[in-house]
Amino acid sequence: MMKLIIYIAIGLIVVLLYQLMRIYQLSSEIKGKNIGVANEKDNLSQGRGVMLFVAGFFIFLIWLIIRFKNDILPVAASDVGKTSDSLFMFNWVIIFIVFFITTALLFYFAYRYRKSAKNPTAYFYPHNDKLELIWTVVPSIALAVIVIYGLSLWGKMTEKASSNALNIQLYAKQFDFTVRYAGKDNKLGPSSYKLIDDASNPLGMYQDSAACWDDIVVHGELHIPVGREINIQCNARDVMHGMYFPHFREQINCVPGMSTFMHFVPTITTDSMRLIMHDTAYDYILVCNRVCGAGHYNMFLKVVVDTKDEFEKWMATKHPQFEGMKHGQSGTPVTMK
Ligand SMILES: [Cu+2]
């Protein structure tokens, strides 16, 4: 009901404004004024209005930045994340400087060069080689710097991980991530989708491969040690999923039928991040960012960055999938042809 009254009031105000303008127009006509042509006074008030508008717009923008600057992601918690953030910031600085200068000039020129007795006709200025050269070369250089900066970061993100990195597999499926640690040998044993059995072998690991015997499968959370390079092999069981670590500024697709990789060094433990965020319940997260089906919204994994000792302690509580299998002991090996 209240809403209806507000709408009616707005409608009446519009009608009122229209009628006022109509009265002004008619009374001017009676007085013999030609209100169809803007005079010097009109141009000055319009020009000032334009300047006022852009000043208000800039104030609003600056307010937005200050108001929401704490609602974006916190400080990057990985080595590549820091570079990624500085690249992002570099872009913002360029965008803001150019935006404020060009927008301010655009509106100022509308005011400065309004029609007046001094400026009765517009100045015809069709071409200037020097100006064109400047506005082509300067943005080209700026873009080249951004692209080279970005490519070097991309190269760092996608190069092969070092040999002493901690190897982890993240297996995505509708709608969760399963974690596999490579165990003592730091080698992820081979696997095949044909061997997948949700109860006994959710990742389809080869039971007769010694590299699989110490591999540890974990559901529900991912623990990683701070300060050590983490090499993640990403796989998907059904459809394409996204593997996105917002706090580490890392993302890669998980594609059925192939492995993709990412690596980074976590630099801030969960406990330290909780202090930074003044939030004792703050957690890192891994989310799927490909729309992969009806349960996509719920596809995420809690990520815990431990100290080295905490990580080892946590790891010691976990058991390999094929615990007890040793060389010369067959168990019930599965052989794939
Ligand atoms: Cu998904």
Side-chain angles (χ1 to χ4, degrees):
M1 189 60 198
M2 196 59 205
K3 254 189 188 166
L4 186 71
I5 294 171
I6 291 171
Y7 288 141
I8 292 171
I10 292 171
L12 286 174
I13 289 170
V14 171
V15 173
L16 180 75
L17 283 175
Y18 175 78
Q19 292 300 340
L20 280 174
M21 275 165 62
R22 198 70 198 129
I23 293 167
Y24 173 71
Q25 196 180 1
L26 288 172
S27 66
S28 303
E29 267 170 35
I30 294 165
K31 285 183 203 152
K33 271 201 262 173
N34 183 1
I35 61 158
V37 178
N39 59 29
E40 201 153 320
K41 221 178 100 204
D42 297 332
N43 287 340
L44 181 65
S45 62
Q46 293 290 315
R48 281 177 180 160
V50 153
M51 293 290 283
L52 214 66
F53 169 79
V54 78
F57 180 53
F58 281 176
I59 291 169
F60 176 60
L61 260 185
I62 292 164
W63 175 80
L64 276 181
I65 294 167
I66 295 168
R67 167 69 183 76
F68 291 104
K69 75 176 193 312
N70 293 327
D71 291 343
I72 55 174
L73 282 171
V75 57
S78 76
D79 56 340
V80 280
K82 287 201 179 77
T83 323
S84 172
D85 275 5
S86 22
L87 174 62
F88 204 57
M89 201 32 91
F90 180 63
N91 274 273
W92 274 119
V93 168
I94 294 179
I95 289 168
F96 270 110
I97 290 174
V98 173
F99 170 78
F100 277 108
I101 291 176
T102 53
T103 309
L105 279 181
L106 178 72
F107 284 84
Y108 173 69
F109 282 0
Y111 162 76
R112 172 80 177 71
Y113 298 106
R114 67 189 185 277
K115 187 179 175 182
S116 65
K118 272 190 288 174
N119 268 327
T121 50
Y123 178 55
F124 184 59
Y125 193 72
H127 192 74
N128 184 323
D129 282 339
K130 208 191 229 169
L131 258 183
E132 287 207 19
L133 196 72
I134 291 171
W135 74 50
T136 310
V137 170
V138 172
S140 305
I141 293 172
L143 274 179
V145 170
I146 292 168
V147 168
I148 291 167
Y149 194 167
L151 275 178
S152 78
L153 173 63
W154 180 244
K156 207 171 133 191
M157 282 173 156
T158 50
E159 73 191 359
K160 219 167 166 310
S162 65
S163 54
N164 58 357
L166 181 69
N167 288 318
I168 295 174
Q169 180 189 33
L170 273 166
Y171 213 126
K173 73 165 201 299
Q174 287 168 328
F175 295 98
D176 58 30
F177 293 97
T178 305
V179 188
R180 166 154 66 130
Y181 292 90
K184 288 198 178 70
D185 62 358
N186 200 24
K187 235 185 237 151
L188 290 165
S191 65
S192 164
Y193 71 93
K194 292 177 184 166
L195 297 176
I196 288 175
D197 177 83
D198 269 324
S200 64
N201 194 2
L203 301 188
M205 282 147 56
Y206 280 83
Q207 204 168 342
D208 55 357
S209 162
C212 285
W213 293 348
D214 62 349
D215 288 5
I216 296 168
V217 175
V218 176
H219 299 275
E221 57 182 354
L222 167 69
H223 279 246
I224 46 178
V226 72
R228 179 161 178 199
E229 186 175 357
I230 311 294
N231 184 34
I232 299 180
Q233 175 187 322
C234 321
N235 297 97
R237 177 160 139 183
D238 34 40
V239 298
M240 213 159 106
H241 298 274
M243 200 168 72
Y244 176 40
F245 291 97
H247 302 94
F248 308 139
R249 315 289 196 262
E250 280 273 14
Q251 186 214 298
I252 203 154
N253 288 337
C254 306
V255 188
M258 68 181 284
S259 297
T260 49
F261 295 88
M262 73 156 70
H263 62 100
F264 58 89
V265 180
T267 51
I268 302 173
T269 60
T270 294
D271 285 342
S272 305
M273 190 51 108
R274 286 176 176 176
L275 286 178
I276 293 172
M277 298 304 292
H278 306 292
D279 180 354
T280 50
Y282 195 84
D283 272 322
Y284 293 125
I285 196 172
L286 158 67
V287 290
C288 172
N289 65 348
R290 292 278 166 272
V291 181
C292 57
H296 162 71
Y297 72 95
N298 203 25
M299 185 168 168
F300 61 89
L301 190 71
K302 180 177 146 183
V303 179
V304 182
V305 178
D306 291 319
T307 61
K308 190 169 175 279
D309 291 347
E310 284 167 349
F311 177 72
E312 273 161 18
K313 229 187 246 167
W314 177 82
M315 207 68 221
T317 65
K318 304 289 165 193
H319 302 282
Q321 176 89 32
F322 301 135
E323 191 160 36
M325 298 262 319
K326 288 187 183 69
H327 281 284
Q329 179 189 344
S330 61
T332 41
V334 184
T335 313
M336 288 300 301
K337 285 275 154 358

